[in-house]
């Protein structure tokens, strides 16, 4: 009952129209039929006047909508004495607006869920006490208590021994994730059954969840070009409807025919179908871990012809792993790795974590350096157990060990050189692995109509060509600076162009492409802000998923628009011959509106996602059988 009352208050115009209709029935039964005519007609004209004021305001803002048809239909039915039909047109008009609002609320459920879950409070540990503060008052370095089932208010690292987090609202991963001391934590994740302490690494505004909320808010406020295109159908549809009504009136000599045609010409299919479909598509994308910044992005994705990829962190994992140790100077491989890993504890280079992890996997002890100094872009020098260890590029190591020699590396590999106490100790070879699903993603994009794929990278030509050959990409541009990437994308003729990247250096080209997609799972803020869409999970296949959602959304939007238009036109043509009375026509148009909305709501995609999952599962099973 409470829900019904809430809906009645929210959609007061519909409630009032129904109340007027019920009052008319009571008065007619009491023999006051004349009063019913005046009440219905007066109320209908009042609503028409109210709608006309809004229509004029829209026109003054340069927006030519379809309200003129509904207003004309109300006036025409009152003029010819079809007062019941006039009230039904009012119910259709107000009910259509209510249905549109309800459908939009339903379609935006996943988007709204993110907005309403934003953490508001944090529990800061201050000595022996815990103080509740607003989430926006948290500063990096603060120690926070997160109670069982609470939402993490900011990004941080785990201080306690371990916990389990539900990250489904952030990454789309339904399986709880286990975290241990020192692991990175994302704001918006839900803590498990144990209270834990975390150390904040970012403010609330710069945390992952708040950035997602900002992207969602931006997406919810947008309007797709195809929706504006639907608005542009207003003029020809209005002219056709008025002309058909006028011809029917002229041929029959009966002005009622004009009213009967216009009752069926109300434009709800155009007004409702596209917005509902695109909001549904954005909700579907959010549910699949992709925040799309507007319906226009979905339309561009649906017709994309070229996909351009950055290499490191996009087509590859961005985490080079140790593949070989070439020890020299009588030093053993384990000794070299232990020395390198200990020194790299004081380095910020991307390879540092890989070497440290490799040493730990082998059970090698890592000590503490007596001193350490990193030379940006070159390497690190540390004193460990009284010995000087130098790790880095060949030229840097050779400055400290003149006997250093270059080692032979295969395409796609890189070498890190090592010197111990001024003597060359060998080299460690690392390679960045291609993502497991990269080739499958490219194949799926080709099936979806993306005919051309290209790689743009700042890496060396040999490394880039090795990765491209592994993935079947024939168009490669290597040694690219950010400005070079922008120029290359601008020269592409097959458009729209999708650009996929993950780093700060990709931000300019993501903004320049028709659709920039940021792999934002690792917090590349600049890339995410300049992109048209952000993938929240570290999964390249979501690029193809976004294209598929775009294609499905545009297809459903256009289907819904044209189904509504064709059914309305067919009914108008029948009404022109006097077959459909005005009252019956108004009821039929309500049915058309409902069909249009239900058709557009298919873009939310629950069934589409289920079908895609079944197809993926059957494809995987077939591949296993083939092997």
């Amino acid at each position: 009952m409470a829900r019904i009352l809430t809906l009645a208050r929210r959609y007061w115009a519909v409630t009032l129209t129904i109340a007027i209709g019920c009052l008319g029935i009571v008065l007619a039964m009491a023999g006051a039929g004349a009063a019913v005519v005046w009440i219905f007609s007066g109320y209908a004209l009042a609503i028409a006047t109210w709608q006309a004021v809004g229509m004029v305001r829209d026109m003054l803002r340069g927006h030519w909508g379809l309200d003129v048809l509904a207003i004309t239909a109300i006036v025409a039915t009152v003029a010819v004495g079809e007062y019941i039909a006039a009230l039904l047109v009012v119910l259709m008009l107000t009910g259509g607006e209510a249905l549109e609002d309800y459908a939009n609320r339903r379609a935006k459920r996943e988007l709204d869920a993110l907005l309403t879950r934003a953490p508001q409070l944090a529990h800061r540990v201050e000595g022996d006490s815990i103080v509740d503060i607003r989430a926006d008052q948290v500063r990096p370095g603060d120690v926070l208590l997160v109670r069982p089932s609470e939402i993490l208010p900011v990004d941080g690292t785990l201080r306690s021994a371990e916990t389990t987090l539900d990250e489904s609202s952030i990454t789309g991963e339904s399986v709880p994730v286990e975290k241990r001391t020192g692991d990175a934590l994302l704001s918006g994740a839900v803590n498990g059954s144990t209270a834990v302490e975390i150390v904040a690494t970012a403010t609330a505004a710069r945390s992952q969840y708040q950035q997602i909320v900002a992207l969602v808010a931006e997406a919810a406020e947008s309007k797709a070009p195809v929706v504006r295109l639907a608005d542009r159908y207003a003029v020809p549809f209005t002219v056709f409807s008025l002309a058909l009504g006028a011809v029917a009136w002229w041929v029959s000599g009966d002005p009622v025919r004009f009213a009967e045609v216009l009752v069926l010409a109300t434009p709800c299919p155009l007004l409702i179908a596209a917005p509902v479909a695109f909001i549904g598509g954005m909700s579907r994308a959010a549910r699949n871990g992709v925040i799309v910044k507007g319906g226009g992005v979905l339309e561009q994705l649906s017709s994309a012809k070229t996909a351009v990829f950055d290499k490191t962190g996009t087509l590859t994992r961005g985490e080079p792993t140790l593949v070989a140790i070439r020890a020299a100077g009588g030093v053993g491989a384990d000794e070299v790795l232990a020395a390198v890993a200990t020194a790299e504890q004081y380095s910020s280079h991307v390879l540092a974590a890989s070497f440290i992890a490799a040493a730990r996997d082998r059970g090698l002890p890592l000590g503490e350096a007596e001193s350490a100094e990193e030379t940006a872009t070159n390497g690190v020098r540390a004193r460990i157990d009284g010995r000087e260890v130098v790790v880095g590029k060949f030229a840097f190591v050779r400055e400290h060990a003149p006997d250093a020699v270059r080692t032979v590396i295969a395409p796609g590999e890189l070498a890190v050189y090592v010197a111990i106490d001024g003597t060359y100790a060998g080299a460690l070879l690392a390679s960045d692995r291609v993502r497991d699903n990269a080739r499958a993603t490219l194949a799926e994009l080709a099936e979806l109509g993306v005919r051309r794929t290209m790689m743009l990278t700042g890496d060396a030509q040999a490394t880039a060509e090795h990765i491209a050959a592994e993935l079947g990409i024939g168009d490669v541009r290597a040694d690219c600076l950010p400005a070079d990437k922008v120029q290359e994308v601008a020269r592409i003729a097959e458009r729209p162009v999708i650009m996929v990247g993950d780093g700060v250096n990709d931000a300019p080209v993501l903004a320049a492409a028709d659709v920039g997609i940021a792999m934002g799972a690792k917090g590349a803020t600049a890339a995410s802000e300049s992109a048209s869409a952000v993938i929240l999970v570290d999964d390249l296949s979501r690029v193809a998923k976004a294209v598929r959602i775009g294609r499905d959304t545009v297809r459903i939007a256009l289907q819904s628009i044209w189904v509504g238009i064709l059914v309305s036109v067919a009914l108008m043509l029948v009404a022109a011959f006097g077959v459909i009375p005005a009252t019956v026509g108004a009821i039929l148009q309500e049915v058309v509106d409902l069909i249009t909305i239900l058709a557009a709501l298919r873009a939310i995609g629950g069934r589409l996602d289920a079908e895609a999952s079944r197809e993926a599962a059957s494809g995987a099973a077939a591949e296993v059988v083939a092997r």
Side-chain angles (χ1 to χ4, degrees), residues 389-427:
V389 177
V390 180
V391 182
K393 293 182 177 179
F394 175 75
F396 179 68
V397 171
R398 192 170 186 178
E399 290 177 2
H400 300 84
D403 61 332
V405 293
R406 289 188 180 274
T407 188
V408 178
I409 61 174
E413 292 182 345
L414 56 87
V416 174
Y417 295 86
V418 189
I420 299 177
D421 278 341
T423 301
Y424 178 58

Side-chain angles (χ1 to χ4, degrees), residues 300-320:
Q300 293 276 57
L301 284 169
S302 73
S303 57
K305 298 295 185 292
T306 303
V308 183
F309 295 87
D310 175 47
K311 182 185 76 68
T312 305
T314 303
L315 292 172
T316 65
R317 293 183 176 277
E319 300 172 351

Side-chain angles (χ1 to χ4, degrees), residues 62-77:
H63 177 260
W64 293 83
L66 290 150
D67 294 336
V68 64
L69 282 177
I71 295 168
T72 306
I74 293 172
V75 174
T77 49

Side-chain angles (χ1 to χ4, degrees), residues 62-66 223-238 270-271 299 561 565:
H63 177 260
W64 293 83
L66 290 150
K223 190 177 185 184
V226 75
V227 177
R228 293 192 290 270
L229 181 62
D231 290 342
R232 294 191 191 106
Y233 293 158
V235 174
F237 189 76
T238 300
L270 289 177
L271 294 173
E299 186 178 28
I561 288 172
I565 288 176

Side-chain angles (χ1 to χ4, degrees), residues 122-125 130 142-154 156-165 177-183 185 189-200:
H123 316 299
R124 185 165 61 196
V125 178
I130 298 173
D142 285 353
V143 178
L144 306 176
L145 174 70
V146 182
R147 298 189 174 107
S149 301
E150 280 191 339
I151 299 173
L152 273 63
V154 295
T157 57
L158 184 61
R159 190 185 191 195
S160 300
E162 60 183 6
T163 190
T164 301
L165 298 181
V177 179
E178 294 183 358
K179 299 289 185 177
R180 291 181 171 78
T181 304
D183 285 349
L185 310 176
V190 180
N191 188 30
S193 58
T194 305
V196 295
E197 290 185 354
I198 70 171
V199 179

